Amino acid sequence: MSLVEYSAHELKQLLVSGEITSIELTQALLDQIGTYDDHLGAFLHIDAERALARAADIDHRRQAGKPLGPLAGLPVAVKDVLCDQDGPTTCASRMLQSFRPPYDATVVARLKAADAVLIGRTNMDEFAMGGSTENSAFQVTRNPWDPGRIPGGSSGGAATCVAARMAPLSIGTDTGGSIRQPAGLCGVVGMKPTYGRVSRYGLIAFASSLDQVGPLARTTRDAALLLETIAGHDPHDATSLEVPVPAYSHSLEQPLAGLRLGIVREHFAAGLDPSIEEAIRQAVEVYQSLGATIQEISLPHSKYAVATYYVIAPSEASSNLARYDGVHYGHRTDESQLQAELNARRQQLQAAGDERGLDQLDNGLVRMYRLSRAEGFGPEVKRRIMLGTYALSAGYYDAYYLKALKVRRLIRQDFDAAFGQVDLIASPVTPSVAYRLGEMVDDPLAMYLVDLYTVSANLAGLPSISLPCGFTREWLPIGLQLQAPPLEELRLLRGAHMYEQATDWHKRQPALVRQRHTGV
Amino acid sequence: MTALSRNDVEKVALLARLQLTDAELDTMTAQLGQILGYVDLLAEVDTTDVEPMAHAVELCNVFATDQVMPSLPRERALANAPRDNGRGYLVPAVLGD
Amino acid sequence: MPETSTHPYTTVIGLEVHVQLATRSKLFCGCSTQFGAEPNTQTCPVCIGMPGTLPVLNRSAFALALKTAIALNCHIPEFTKWDRKQYYYPDLPKGYQISQYDLPMSVDGFLEISDPLEPYAPLRIGIIRAHLEEDAGKSIHDEVAGRADSEIDLNRTGTPLLEIVSEPDLRSPAASRIFLQELKLLLTYLGVSDCNMQEGSLRVDANVNLHLEANGQRVATPIVEIKNMNSFRAVQRALEYEASRQYRVWQETGQQLGQASKQTRGWDEAAGLTRPQRSKEESSDYRYLPDPDLVPITTSPAQVEQIRQSLGELPSALRARLVREGNLSDYDANVLINQGQELVDYYQAVAAKCNDPKTAANWVTQEVLRELKEREMTIAQIPIPAECLADLIHAIQQGQLPGTRAREVFTLMLNDQITAAEAIGKLGIEQVDESDLVALCQELIDANPKIVADVQGGKQQAIGALIGQAKKKNPNVDPGRVRSICLELAMKS
Ligand SMILES: [Mg+2]
Ligand SMILES: [Zn+2]
């Protein structure tokens, strides 16, 4: 078996016992990336030299018997949305193409302190807006199970690199499903922790009240290992929770005795792909066979979740992205051309005696903002900025933004009531499997509706996990989503682990990758 | 609620400091209209006496101590500036044209 | 409300004051708030608004704001939150200012001032709200090689400001100035701000319009906001100018409130007038939203009460007490208080020691203040401790020191940093024995028959020459006593 196929947990044991070195492991993954990534496009940036130097340093320290962090020598890929002062952080946007942060995100700092080897920066939808990774300004990422299809998004690179064995662990972010959905579509484990569990400091904001950082891996044990490294209170994030972080990976194996698993009546409606419905029902049967009791529950406001989300997220985004104005960092338009154009336009208007036109003509500064932003942002980002600006503007605030904040509370209250009856809620991750590249580009609303099972957890701040639970006839992965009450990550991981132990979906490899390793 | 005109979209584009081409304005008007049409679904929810929920976790009273920490050296602060003079960020004159 | 009698209109003024709170570090990051640093040397990823950064609220900034609001008699709601006010400007790096919108930390207070029309009659000026927010940076016009640029300095960005908004309760430019003086006094007493206008720690905008009578109806002129006023004197001048300008415009156009949109005008100090400032229509849509990066603050009534108890004596109460206990005039009490807590403490120590508040007040408000001004000193630097000044006053009261030479003694005490007794000794001042004085006068009378004759002929002023001679022979003599004794002896001879 090639090194790239081992789980992070197994690799850690091999590293600790001295059977392998971090250099060997890092090199093997760099080779895997070299082989597949030209085609799959999971990474935006690889600094092989730095990664190998870091691996060598950790190997030396290990040989010298020095104390090492919990991820010592393990390569981790990071979504290009978390600031790292050692390299570029672009958010897959032309706006930040040349941005070099002068500081580390707390999650990045914790990974470095845990002696992880940061192997590369993964592709994403620009500013994490989108569910297909097609909205990257730089490249398309392909689903390793069918390179003609999307990997999901926005953490598409993060899911792809794990599924294609280019990294055992990766960091993603989830604002409305951006970890769980690509994890589901790529057949890996992805988890969004409780809001506030992981610091957002240094995470380039999309929608601040919804964004969370979380792990992607091939097993729940690996996800637990990564989560316990990055979770915990951070004084730099006022929304971060000051509660202890359990050692998830240690108590993972205890099954949940007397588990009450909820399934949501409203989830099994028209629009759900029958093969997905079938896989979810079978997963529920697995739980039943493990001793869980199954209970049907209702989340009466779940049908409003997508509408609520697509008011709140763009509103916050329009505010968060106002800082990209080409003044202090980021892309700025060509100023000489801008002045020439403005002068020409002014002369035109003067000649025509158009007083109103002259009055409305942007000044140089306003035009600089408008052009810098128009050139720096892609269409999906512009669409959301426009939507959010509109929802917050005078006269519409109450009907859209304020209304959505109220419905958000009702959605949360639904969950609070449901968790009085059940311990975990099981559901699909997506209503359909990975679609073909380009298929939805012109239909944003259809694309938004794909988020219907995932956005509620963000609105309510709940932890939620996606794990492989089957395949369609065309060998496209299907994800099972589990949700738990706030701060019950351990319950969620134990529940997921129970299922994983009873099934082997997580062991499947995409044909593309499997073929190469046959006979190795 | 939703009768979004091209003119509305133009105004929003100025508020959002985006320069949209004519074609973009057309597409944007259609797409925003469609999305807002869907969002109007919220109007049917009875939210009487429901408090708005702006945060996913409702914490209070988080403070930092009033303590001076090192600032960035100026060259690091200005390192990402699109245009600067070594002292400050430069932009086209703020006053007048 | 008294009408200003000289005008056919009432000037209605509301002030908006931004005060920099005296914290060490900025409102949401650890950068220093020290004034005067080189541009862009006091910034960090947070206050530059770099992608991914988050604000965390400075505890002291909130505490200082709370203290001020309570001193301004504001109601402190139990729940307050943070909002983003969104607009684009190059000195606002995030594209929004973190401020407070619908649920500010304090509302509905007042500040008492002395009515300038009826001096020292108390006048209550309402405070609509006081809220905490962050400052923006600075744009400096920079003309290089024919290209007009602005240079942006973000050192100020994120400095904590308390925005204090008054009701439109002020009825004259003079009252507005007094309001600002009283506010500054309160803030410096509390130690919450240094209120230095030159360094931008206190900034004032004013909203003003006129109420007048037209065809038996009360009407109002459109409201104008005035900016760019760099001193309290400038505020008064700008408001005076603006009131007469609005009256002129009213006479020409008859335009009323509601018939024109609110205008912003800038004060031009050199030209002594206000000019319209450019403003785009869309700029008023701030698209406020609750800041998702910051959590709300709760303050209990018990906490508010505890702070209220800890405030100590505020300037208005202190003023009343000085008048009552020291029998001071309102004027003297104001002169003392306007100099700040330290001078008042000094005065109180002098008054207590010499047991004569009125004389102590005269000394402090006249000699002490004059010397401080001439020597460009603060009261903390004065080399005469309060007890020493009290000793000086005591010596006069005891007749050990003629009042005429007291200032001489005071100056020497200051110059040589010595006690009153030492100064009196150094100047050779000693009390002249009554018999010695009579003997001296007799000697002068005998030696100046011409003067005696003049006096006897009715020219009493001729005695002045004898006083001069007496002082030459003995500088310690009391000129008044010399005069009366000589007069008596001259008439008898
Ligand atoms: Mg303000
Ligand atoms: Zn700072």
Side-chain angles (χ1 to χ4, degrees):
Chain A
M1 196 159 100
S2 160
L3 275 185
V4 301
E5 291 173 67
Y6 288 99
S7 73
H9 176 70
E10 291 161 341
L11 291 169
K12 185 176 171 174
Q13 289 176 329
L14 293 171
L15 284 164
V16 168
S17 68
E19 285 170 67
I20 61 165
T21 63
S22 180
I23 285 259
E24 287 167 338
L25 173 57
T26 305
Q27 191 58 60
L29 289 162
L30 288 169
D31 291 346
Q32 180 83 347
I33 293 166
T35 306
Y36 293 107
D37 207 45
D38 278 350
H39 184 47
L40 294 177
F43 286 93
L44 285 174
H45 183 73
I46 298 276
D47 190 341
E49 228 167 273
R50 184 185 292 274
L52 289 168
R54 174 120 174 116
D57 174 54
I58 292 160
D59 286 339
H60 281 136
R61 279 156 55 206
R62 195 188 301 278
Q63 276 151 22
K66 299 233 172 87
L68 289 167
L71 297 182
L74 285 175
V76 179
V78 177
K79 187 177 178 180
D80 206 24
V81 68
L82 286 150
C83 289
D84 184 338
Q85 59 183 331
D86 297 330
T89 298
T90 71
C91 261
S93 179
R94 195 172 165 215
M95 183 58 86
L96 291 177
Q97 191 160 14
S98 57
F99 181 62
R100 297 288 179 279
Y103 75 105
D104 279 339
T106 298
V107 166
V108 169
R110 287 195 180 184
L111 290 171
K112 288 179 180 174
D115 291 318
V117 174
L118 301 185
I119 196 166
R121 311 282 299 181
T122 58
N123 196 25
M124 55 188 280
D125 286 302
E126 182 181 4
F127 282 102
M129 296 177 193
S132 68
T133 313
E134 292 168 293
N135 300 302
S136 164
F138 305 124
Q139 68 198 35
V140 166
T141 299
R142 296 169 180 275
N143 190 316
W145 293 91
D146 177 355
R149 292 176 186 267
I150 59 147
S154 65
S155 311
T160 297
C161 74
V162 172
R165 277 59 180 167
M166 298 190 285
L169 297 170
S170 83
I171 297 286
T173 61
D174 190 315
T175 305
S178 283
I179 289 174
R180 291 159 289 156
Q181 184 254 27
L185 300 185
C186 289
V188 300
V189 176
M191 181 170 175
K192 179 200 98 72
T194 307
Y195 183 85
R197 188 50 122 171
V198 180
S199 168
R200 292 185 298 114
Y201 188 73
L203 157 61
I204 298 183
F206 158 18
S208 314
S209 83
L210 305 164
D211 295 340
Q212 260 297 286
V213 184
L216 292 99
R218 288 193 297 271
T219 66
T220 50
R221 182 187 296 281
D222 288 359
L225 176 67
L226 188 51
L227 178 62
E228 68 197 16
T229 308
I230 60 172
H233 179 247
D234 177 12
H236 295 297
D237 177 358
T239 62
S240 121
L241 295 166
E242 211 167 347
V243 283
V245 178
Y248 302 121
S249 60
H250 294 182
S251 36
L252 190 70
E253 309 219 331
Q254 300 165 23
L256 295 167
L259 170 65
R260 298 170 301 164
L261 186 68
I263 54 170
V264 183
R265 189 176 310 136
E266 292 83 1
H267 281 173
F268 299 91
L272 177 59
D273 183 319
S275 57
I276 295 178
E277 176 163 356
E278 177 60 22
I280 301 301
R281 295 215 185 269
Q282 280 174 10
V284 170
E285 278 169 31
V286 171
Y287 274 106
Q288 218 161 1
S289 71
L290 294 170
T293 54
I294 312 300
Q295 209 171 317
E296 194 180 74
I297 55 161
S298 171
L299 296 171
H301 295 93
S302 59
K303 70 181 267 209
Y304 305 109
V306 171
T308 304
Y309 177 84
Y310 278 97
V311 173
I312 294 174
S315 296
E316 290 185 17
S318 72
S319 172
N320 285 329
L321 272 64
R323 71 191 64 208
Y324 306 105
D325 56 9
V327 174
H328 312 96
Y329 47 78
H331 173 75
R332 183 185 293 191
T333 191
D334 180 334
E335 289 177 73
S336 48
Q337 197 187 329
L338 156 116
Q339 287 299 349
E341 276 173 21
L342 271 182
N343 290 339
R345 181 75 188 135
R346 190 174 300 112
Q347 279 164 15
Q348 228 175 43
L349 291 165
Q350 274 162 351
D354 184 346
E355 285 295 322
R356 205 177 119 77
L358 276 170
D359 195 51
Q360 288 188 335
L361 187 65
D362 294 337
N363 65 32
L365 190 62
V366 170
R367 186 58 64 93
M368 186 198 88
Y369 287 147
R370 298 185 74 172
L371 286 175
S372 300
R373 288 165 64 78
E375 294 161 3
F377 294 139
E380 182 58 30
V381 172
K382 287 181 197 171
R383 191 149 48 229
R384 298 203 192 189
I385 290 175
M386 290 289 290
L387 192 55
T389 305
Y390 181 77
L392 291 173
S393 64
Y396 299 99
Y397 181 90
D398 287 4
Y400 289 116
Y401 184 71
L402 192 63
K403 183 77 182 183
L405 292 188
K406 291 177 177 178
V407 181
R408 180 182 191 175
R409 185 172 297 280
L410 295 174
I411 289 168
R412 168 62 189 258
Q413 287 170 351
D414 283 355
F415 277 106
D416 290 345
F419 284 120
Q421 297 169 265
V422 298
D423 303 312
L424 294 174
I425 296 171
S427 77
V429 178
T430 52
S432 49
V433 291
Y435 50 82
R436 296 193 178 280
L437 290 164
E439 198 178 317
M440 295 260 227
V441 169
D442 295 323
D443 194 350
L445 181 57
M447 205 172 73
Y448 297 169
L449 292 171
V450 170
D451 299 341
L452 84 156
Y453 299 118
T454 49
V455 293
S456 304
N458 302 80
L459 291 167
L462 311 174
S464 177
I465 195 168
S466 167
L467 54 157
C469 75
F471 290 86
T472 64
R473 264 190 306 249
E474 313 98 308
W475 281 104
L476 293 172
I478 297 171
L480 167 70
Q481 176 175 249
L482 298 176
Q483 292 172 307
L487 292 173
E488 295 292 349
E489 279 86 0
L490 185 55
R491 188 194 296 176
L492 197 60
L493 286 161
R494 284 168 63 192
H497 189 71
M498 274 168 80
Y499 177 80
E500 201 177 80
Q501 293 304 101
T503 57
D504 65 355
W505 303 115
H506 63 286
K507 293 180 180 155
R508 309 292 171 95
Q509 291 194 43
L512 179 89
V513 181
R514 197 173 59 227
Q515 280 155 13
R516 180 178 136 95
H517 296 302
T518 310
V520 172
Chain B
M1 188 69 242
T2 334
L4 193 70
S5 71
R6 196 173 187 277
N7 193 31
D8 292 337
V9 176
E10 249 182 302
K11 280 187 191 150
V12 176
L14 174 60
L15 261 184
R17 293 292 185 272
L18 286 171
Q19 187 80 35
L20 299 184
T21 63
D22 282 348
E24 282 176 312
L25 271 174
D26 289 336
T27 321
M28 199 66 87
T29 306
Q31 290 177 339
L32 292 188
Q34 192 192 15
I35 297 162
L36 291 168
Y38 173 72
V39 165
D40 282 343
L41 181 66
L42 296 180
E44 73 185 45
V45 188
D46 180 3
T47 52
T48 320
D49 298 329
V50 177
E51 281 294 311
M53 179 176 166
H55 291 82
V57 174
E58 296 180 294
L59 297 173
C60 273
N61 304 333
V62 177
F63 295 103
T65 43
D66 180 21
Q67 195 181 4
V68 175
M69 305 295 274
S71 293
L72 284 175
R74 179 154 71 188
E75 59 283 6
R76 281 202 91 192
L78 295 176
N80 283 292
R83 193 154 66 83
D84 70 282
N85 61 3
R87 277 161 40 98
Y89 308 86
L90 292 181
V91 291
V94 171
L95 290 172
D97 286 315
Chain C
M1 203 58 52
E3 296 272 299
T4 35
S5 51
T6 48
H7 302 303
Y9 54 79
T10 308
T11 313
V12 178
I13 300 160
L15 298 178
E16 203 178 290
V17 184
H18 285 87
V19 185
Q20 177 179 337
L21 296 173
T23 56
R24 285 185 281 271
S25 58
K26 293 184 179 180
L27 187 52
F28 298 116
C29 67
C31 291
S32 169
T33 53
Q34 193 84 49
F35 178 81
E38 279 291 298
N40 294 299
T41 55
Q42 287 176 176
T43 68
C44 71
V46 176
C47 57
I48 297 171
M50 285 206 172
T53 57
L54 298 172
V56 185
L57 180 65
N58 182 328
R59 184 189 298 274
S60 296
F62 190 77
L64 294 174
L66 202 54
K67 189 173 169 184
T68 312
I70 293 168
L72 285 169
N73 306 293
C74 286
H75 167 67
I76 310 297
E78 288 191 42
F79 180 94
T80 187
K81 69 179 175 80
W82 308 96
D83 300 285
R84 295 178 176 181
K85 177 180 181 176
Q86 312 196 93
Y87 62 94
Y88 286 90
Y89 208 74
D91 65 14
L92 188 71
K94 297 188 298 297
Y96 56 83
Q97 177 195 30
I98 303 176
S99 181
Q100 301 200 279
Y101 182 49
D102 55 340
L103 298 171
M105 56 168 298
S106 74
V107 294
D108 215 5
F110 65 87
L111 179 67
E112 225 161 49
I113 65 167
S114 300
D115 188 344
L117 295 177
E118 240 174 287
Y120 311 116
L123 201 58
R124 211 171 245 209
I125 306 302
I127 303 291
I128 298 175
R129 59 190 278 160
H131 72 247
L132 192 53
E133 63 183 26
E134 58 176 344
D135 204 351
K138 235 167 51 182
S139 307
I140 309 143
H141 200 68
D142 184 61
E143 197 91 37
V144 186
R147 177 177 190 166
D149 279 327
S150 287
E151 179 190 313
I152 313 297
D153 171 14
L154 298 183
N155 281 352
R156 271 205 87 86
T157 309
T159 300
L161 297 180
L162 187 70
E163 178 178 322
I164 302 166
V165 186
S166 89
E167 295 277 2
D169 283 350
L170 293 157
R171 288 292 175 271
S172 70
S176 303
R177 186 175 179 174
I178 288 170
F179 173 86
L180 291 170
Q181 284 165 342
E182 190 70 21
L183 181 65
K184 177 178 172 178
L185 181 63
L186 178 68
L187 298 171
T188 46
Y189 255 74
L190 293 171
V192 297
S193 175
D194 65 17
C195 293
N196 186 330
M197 279 185 99
Q198 274 69 49
E199 295 179 3
S201 341
L202 189 151
R203 303 196 291 267
V204 186
D205 298 333
N207 282 291
V208 56
N209 73 344
L210 310 179
H211 285 188
L212 31 76
E213 198 100 4
N215 311 322
Q217 295 248 315
R218 286 188 67 82
V219 293
T221 58
I223 296 173
V224 170
E225 180 171 2
I226 315 177
K227 291 181 179 287
N228 294 349
M229 298 169 293
N230 294 319
S231 66
F232 290 171
R233 202 177 88 89
V235 172
Q236 185 171 354
R237 286 182 67 207
L239 285 167
E240 279 160 359
Y241 171 85
E242 185 57 24
S244 55
R245 188 195 68 81
Q246 286 188 24
Y247 188 61
R248 212 168 53 238
V249 172
W250 154 259
Q251 286 177 311
E252 285 164 17
T253 66
Q255 208 167 47
Q256 293 181 21
L257 186 66
Q259 292 171 345
S261 57
K262 182 173 153 178
Q263 199 190 17
T264 302
R265 298 179 71 89
W267 171 244
D268 181 335
E269 178 78 28
L273 46 81
T274 64
R275 297 178 202 282
Q277 285 189 340
R278 220 178 118 108
S279 65
K280 285 239 166 189
E281 274 172 58
E282 55 94 21
S283 66
S284 58
D285 194 345
Y286 291 122
R287 289 159 291 128
Y288 282 98
L289 87 160
D291 194 325
D293 293 330
L294 287 164
V295 301
I297 307 290
T298 57
T299 310
S300 70
Q303 279 174 283
V304 173
E305 201 38 51
Q306 203 187 347
I307 295 166
R308 199 190 310 283
Q309 298 298 331
S310 73
L311 287 179
E313 192 174 34
L314 296 179
S316 55
L318 176 59
R319 182 187 296 117
R321 187 166 63 78
L322 291 183
V323 168
R324 192 176 64 244
E325 291 177 359
N327 199 24
L328 302 192
S329 67
D330 286 307
Y331 179 83
D332 279 348
N334 257 338
V335 171
L336 284 171
I337 288 170
N338 286 338
Q339 298 296 321
Q341 182 73 55
E342 271 187 289
L343 189 91
V344 174
D345 288 346
Y346 184 84
Y347 155 75
Q348 287 182 301
V350 176
K353 181 90 193 292
C354 74
N355 204 18
D356 182 352
K358 184 75 188 155
T359 309
N362 288 341
W363 271 89
V364 174
T365 58
Q366 290 162 33
E367 304 304 324
V368 171
L369 282 186
R370 192 188 57 245
E371 291 290 349
L372 288 183
K373 196 172 172 197
E374 271 172 19
R375 295 171 192 233
E376 294 180 342
M377 270 186 206
T378 67
I379 189 66
Q381 296 166 313
I382 196 166
I384 303 181
E387 311 81 74
C388 291
L389 180 58
D391 288 343
L392 172 67
I393 295 170
H394 198 70
I396 303 168
Q397 288 165 336
Q398 296 299 303
Q400 292 157 3
L401 171 62
T404 46
R405 302 201 63 189
R407 195 170 156 193
E408 213 179 319
V409 173
F410 178 72
T411 309
L412 192 66
M413 287 167 74
L414 259 176
N415 289 340
D416 292 9
Q417 316 203 353
I418 53 179
T419 64
E422 284 164 350
I424 288 168
K426 212 166 173 181
L427 287 167
I429 300 174
E430 49 189 77
Q431 214 170 2
V432 182
D433 190 78
E434 185 69 9
S435 57
D436 289 350
L437 184 62
V438 174
L440 175 67
C441 290
Q442 190 61 57
E443 200 183 312
L444 291 171
I445 293 291
D446 294 346
N448 293 285
K450 171 88 175 64
I451 291 175
V452 171
D454 284 350
V455 171
Q456 286 172 341
K459 285 177 70 180
Q460 288 213 352
Q461 65 271 35
I463 211 81
L466 295 185
I467 298 173
Q469 287 185 37
K471 282 195 80 174
K472 253 181 217 152
K473 286 185 183 284
N474 185 348
N476 291 325
V477 295
D478 178 347
R481 288 293 295 147
V482 172
R483 183 186 169 82
S484 59
I485 294 170
C486 284
L487 274 174
E488 198 181 319
L489 292 176
M491 297 310 285
K492 273 198 278 184
S493 64

